[in-house]
């Protein structure tokens, strides 16, 4: 079985295990090709290889690149979901990103390994909505194990949308949930270049998502990302993030924004002409941050709490879980980076020390420095919750399954993806949200373990990078609205990646180009595919045109079991 893939009998038998079976320290032997690593101090190439080993053998720890620390060793061991163990994406892990970067890469060239880099998107991309709306974060119609069914012959997706009269960078404050549909089963080469999607309109009635807030004095109220599940014929449950903003006429916050995770139920219908939906008037507040595991708006006015993704774990039948983006609980700037967050080996002189602590290399000339100031302002995590009723309207928090304390502030749109008995967290992060001393591209970051709660190992040589936009870490970041002159034109080309069955990955186009010539996006990017093999995740260059597939190619991989009888259209 695979969350994000099809289910076979052999897959099902390998993953439906008892707790005694799933709590294991077995690790998949690493199988790697040569990965070019340019070492800054020597400007020489270093390569890593590892031979195949018997299935039951333990891996050797990943060695250090000269001039950089070794990554933290992670066991991938599974724990019960209710356990209080939280895996860490450490600074030692994340510093592998810069270790993989070529310090000699010139202006406008990609400095990251090609096997982990999304192919460059052309600047003359088509618009999937034909000028109707800005489109960004997108997800599919899914069922319990994240397969993507067609409904009565139609493929259906959900997107954050905004009026095209708004500036593209103003869209976040005014986001609404919209949907698109297209005929299922048509090959990509037979569709229009923009993917052939029809915009169906907004999902929620006006004002519905704002009704949950006790304080109705908000200046703006918006709908942010989530996931959509189909149940019992044509019933839909949408899990999403409702946010209320309290701003003055100048756009300044009067009080912190209020994010909440919400569920709403509706119905989906279709006939030969398309798809429509009804309901979604009642909103069920599911979760607000607790301040212990997950930071509140009062602890941090910039808190990240959003993006619910629900799934069923074959190792725990009858339970429905949710992962979401959070920040580690505690008052902003008072939560400190611990030695566990740093993750360095005691003897590693390329490490860092928590502020004020005795250096690990005390007495050794040039011993580890303290971590950079303000690293503790970046406290992202991947949260976990479990449903308490079958209607999925009541939930309770569990401890986070992954922390990125002092690494990054954002672990957006997390997913659980199960393949070959391994559990993957896929999440996304910006280059601009990494902590001081950490640098890496915009894109997908992945972590692999033996269960939904594991000592997750960051993929690809311990770095976590699964699929990055082409970037040059030797030059400034810039901004999507003002790309740096020297940066690779594709640094901001795609974001908000969503990993689908068979390793297909969908994202939206943000900005393509550099300061003197760039184009903003607001439409879906070409679909790409990644090969997922243990702790290796690489771009499939045989998919599409050297790895770049068709625009917005989001295929259903199963059919929802309902009669294909057309539904009667509602009377206007």
């Amino acid at each position: 079985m695979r969350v994000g893939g099809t289910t076979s009998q052999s897959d099902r038998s390998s993953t439906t295990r008892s707790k005694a079976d799933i709590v294991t320290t077995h690790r998949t032997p690493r199988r790697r090709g040569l990965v070019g690593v340019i070492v800054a101090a020597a400007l020489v190439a270093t390569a890593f290889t590892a031979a195949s080993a018997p299935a039951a053998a333990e891996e050797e720890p990943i060695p250090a690149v000269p001039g950089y620390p070794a990554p933290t060793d992670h066991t991938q061991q599974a724990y019960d979901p209710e356990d209080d163990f939280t895996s860490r994406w450490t600074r030692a892990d994340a510093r592998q990103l810069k270790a993989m970067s070529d310090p000699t890469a010139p202006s406008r060239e990609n400095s990251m390994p090609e096997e982990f880099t999304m192919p460059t998107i052309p600047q003359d991309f088509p618009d999937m909505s034909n000028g109707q709306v800005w489109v960004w974060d997108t997800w599919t119609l899914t069922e319990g194990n994240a397969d993507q069914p067609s409904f009565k012959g139609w493929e259906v997706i959900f997107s954050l949308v905004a009026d095209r009269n708004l500036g593209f960078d103003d869209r976040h404050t005014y986001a609404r949930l919209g949907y698109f549909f297209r005929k299922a089963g048509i090959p990509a080469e037979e569709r229009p270049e923009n993917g052939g999607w029809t915009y169906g309109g907004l999902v929620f009635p006006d004002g519905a998502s704002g009704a949950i807030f006790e304080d109705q004095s908000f200046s703006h109220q918006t709908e942010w990302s989530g996931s959509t599940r189909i149940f019992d014929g044509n019933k839909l449950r949408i899990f999403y993030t409702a946010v209320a903003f309290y701003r003055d006429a100048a756009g300044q916050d009067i009080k912190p924004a209020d994010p909440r995770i919400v569920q709403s139920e509706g119905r989906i219908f279709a006939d030969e002409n398309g798809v429509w939906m009804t309901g979604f008037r009642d909103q069920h507040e599911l979760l607000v941050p607790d301040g212990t595991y997950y930071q509140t708006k009062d602890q941090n006015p910039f808190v990240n709490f959003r993006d619910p993704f629900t799934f069923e774990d074959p190792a725990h039948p009858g339970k429905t879980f949710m992962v979401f983006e959070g920040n580690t609980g505690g008052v902003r700037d008072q939560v400190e980076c611990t030695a566990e967050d740093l993750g360095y080996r005691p003897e590693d002189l390329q490490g860092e020390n928590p502020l004020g602590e005795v250096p690990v290399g005390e007495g050794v000339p040039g011993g580890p420095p303290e971590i950079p100031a303000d690293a503790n302002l970046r406290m992202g995590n991947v949260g976990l919750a479990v449903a308490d009723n079958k209607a999925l309207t009541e939930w309770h928090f569990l401890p986070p399954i992954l922390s990125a304390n002092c690494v990054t502030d954002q672990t957006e749109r997390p997913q659980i993806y199960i393949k070959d008995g391994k559990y993957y967290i896929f999440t996304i992060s910006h280059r601009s949200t990494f902590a001081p001393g950490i640098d890496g591209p915009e894109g997908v970051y992945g972590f692999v373990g033996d269960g939904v709660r594991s000592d997750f190992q960051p993929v690809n040589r311990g770095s976590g990078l699964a699929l990055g936009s082409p970037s040059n870490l030797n030059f400034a970041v810039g901004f999507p609205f003002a790309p740096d002159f020297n940066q690779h034109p594709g640094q901001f080309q795609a974001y908000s990646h969503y990993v689908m069955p068979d390793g297909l990955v969908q994202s939206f186009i943000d900005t393509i180009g550099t300061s003197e010539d760039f184009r903003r996006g607001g439409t879906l990017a070409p679909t790409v595919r990644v090969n997922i093999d243990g702790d290796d995740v690489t771009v499939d260059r045989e998919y599409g045109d050297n790895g770049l597939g068709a625009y917005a190619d989001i295929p259903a991989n199963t059919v929802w079991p309902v009669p294909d009888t057309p539904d009667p259209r509602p009377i206007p």
Side-chain angles (χ1 to χ4, degrees), residues 326-328 378-382 402-406 408-411:
N327 287 140
T328 298
R378 310 303 201 274
M379 289 284 174
N381 68 24
V382 174
L402 181 74
S403 74
N405 293 350
C406 309
T408 184
D409 202 45
Q410 292 187 350
T411 51

Side-chain angles (χ1 to χ4, degrees), residues 263-344:
Q263 189 241 88
S264 187
E265 185 178 302
R267 300 279 175 171
I268 182 171
F269 303 90
D271 62 13
E272 63 276 8
N273 296 314
V275 173
W276 67 97
M277 300 178 191
T278 64
F280 301 113
R281 292 188 177 277
D282 295 334
Q283 310 288 308
H284 303 279
E285 178 182 297
L286 306 183
L287 296 167
V288 295
D290 63 344
T292 301
Y293 294 134
Y294 308 106
Q295 206 168 47
T296 69
K297 62 184 175 64
D298 297 317
Q299 292 174 329
N300 177 7
F302 312 105
V303 68
N304 299 296
F305 182 75
R306 54 179 180 258
D307 304 344
F309 175 88
T310 70
F311 63 98
E312 297 170 9
D313 180 2
H316 298 86
K319 290 189 176 182
T320 298
F321 294 96
M322 175 197 297
V323 288
F324 55 90
E325 176 189 8
N327 287 140
T328 298
V331 176
R332 187 174 190 260
D333 79 12
Q334 294 183 20
V335 181
E336 295 294 343
C337 306
T338 68
E340 290 79 12
D341 296 328
L342 275 55
Y344 298 109

Side-chain angles (χ1 to χ4, degrees), residues 166-519:
L166 292 169
F168 187 47
D169 293 304
D170 295 327
R171 68 192 188 278
H172 300 288
T173 310
Y174 301 92
R176 299 287 301 273
L177 265 60
Y179 72 99
F180 292 80
F181 56 87
R182 70 179 187 183
K183 278 289 185 183
I186 299 176
E189 59 270 17
E190 297 179 16
R191 296 188 184 277
E193 186 186 16
N194 70 355
W197 294 97
T198 297
Y199 178 53
L202 300 176
V203 175
F204 298 155
D206 288 344
S209 61
I212 65 168
F213 296 99
E214 299 83 6
D215 184 349
Q216 290 284 304
S217 67
F218 48 77
S219 56
H220 308 82
Q221 191 273 316
T222 191
E223 300 157 11
W224 283 353
S225 294
S227 53
T228 302
R229 293 268 302 278
I230 187 166
F231 301 81
D232 305 331
N234 70 340
K235 182 191 299 181
L236 297 186
R237 291 190 174 115
I238 294 182
F239 303 85
Y240 75 102
T241 315
V243 188
F245 293 95
Y246 299 88
R247 294 177 174 170
D248 60 22
Q252 300 299 309
D253 288 333
I254 301 169
K255 49 189 172 184
D258 186 357
R260 306 184 182 191
I261 290 176
V262 182
Q263 189 241 88
S264 187
E265 185 178 302
R267 300 279 175 171
I268 182 171
F269 303 90
D271 62 13
E272 63 276 8
N273 296 314
V275 173
W276 67 97
M277 300 178 191
T278 64
F280 301 113
R281 292 188 177 277
D282 295 334
Q283 310 288 308
H284 303 279
E285 178 182 297
L286 306 183
L287 296 167
V288 295
D290 63 344
T292 301
Y293 294 134
Y294 308 106
Q295 206 168 47
T296 69
K297 62 184 175 64
D298 297 317
Q299 292 174 329
N300 177 7
F302 312 105
V303 68
N304 299 296
F305 182 75
R306 54 179 180 258
D307 304 344
F309 175 88
T310 70
F311 63 98
E312 297 170 9
D313 180 2
H316 298 86
K319 290 189 176 182
T320 298
F321 294 96
M322 175 197 297
V323 288
F324 55 90
E325 176 189 8
N327 287 140
T328 298
V331 176
R332 187 174 190 260
D333 79 12
Q334 294 183 20
V335 181
E336 295 294 343
C337 306
T338 68
E340 290 79 12
D341 296 328
L342 275 55
Y344 298 109
R345 299 175 189 176
E347 70 280 5
D348 200 336
L349 295 184
Q350 302 299 330
E352 302 162 305
N353 288 291
L355 294 173
E357 291 197 10
V358 177
V360 173
E362 186 177 25
V364 179
E370 290 185 337
I371 58 172
D374 294 337
N376 68 325
L377 299 183
R378 310 303 201 274
M379 289 284 174
N381 68 24
V382 174
L384 185 68
V386 62
D388 295 323
N389 64 348
K390 290 185 177 180
L392 306 184
T393 56
E394 298 176 6
W395 296 72
H396 70 267
F397 284 126
L398 298 174
I401 56 174
L402 181 74
S403 74
N405 293 350
C406 309
V407 170
T408 184
D409 202 45
Q410 292 187 350
T411 51
E412 297 188 274
R413 298 195 68 195
Q415 303 170 246
I416 293 291
Y417 189 104
I418 304 176
K419 180 179 184 291
D420 300 331
K422 289 291 187 178
Y423 289 64
Y424 294 82
I425 302 173
F426 288 117
T427 184
I428 53 176
S429 201
H430 289 289
R431 190 176 176 195
S432 61
T433 62
F434 280 113
I438 304 293
D439 200 1
E442 312 262 313
V444 187
Y445 290 83
F447 309 84
V448 58
D450 290 326
V452 69
R453 183 179 299 281
S454 295
D455 183 10
F456 286 101
Q457 178 182 347
V459 301
N460 293 340
R461 291 187 34 248
S463 69
L465 179 62
L467 180 68
S469 285
S471 303
N472 194 321
L473 303 192
N474 304 322
F475 295 96
V477 179
F479 301 94
F481 55 84
D484 186 86
F485 176 83
N486 290 303
Q487 192 47 246
H488 189 287
Q491 174 174 259
F492 296 115
Q493 68 175 15
Y495 193 65
S496 198
H497 305 73
Y498 182 79
V499 184
M500 302 181 292
D502 199 31
L504 297 178
V505 184
Q506 185 59 58
S507 56
F508 81 93
I509 298 174
D510 192 338
T511 302
I512 300 177
T514 54
S515 57
E516 81 291 354
D517 177 24
F518 65 93
R519 182 185 175 195

Side-chain angles (χ1 to χ4, degrees), residues 125-136:
F125 53 83
D127 170 27
M128 69 177 293
S129 80
N130 297 312
Q132 295 181 83
V133 288
W134 298 123
V135 179
W136 64 109

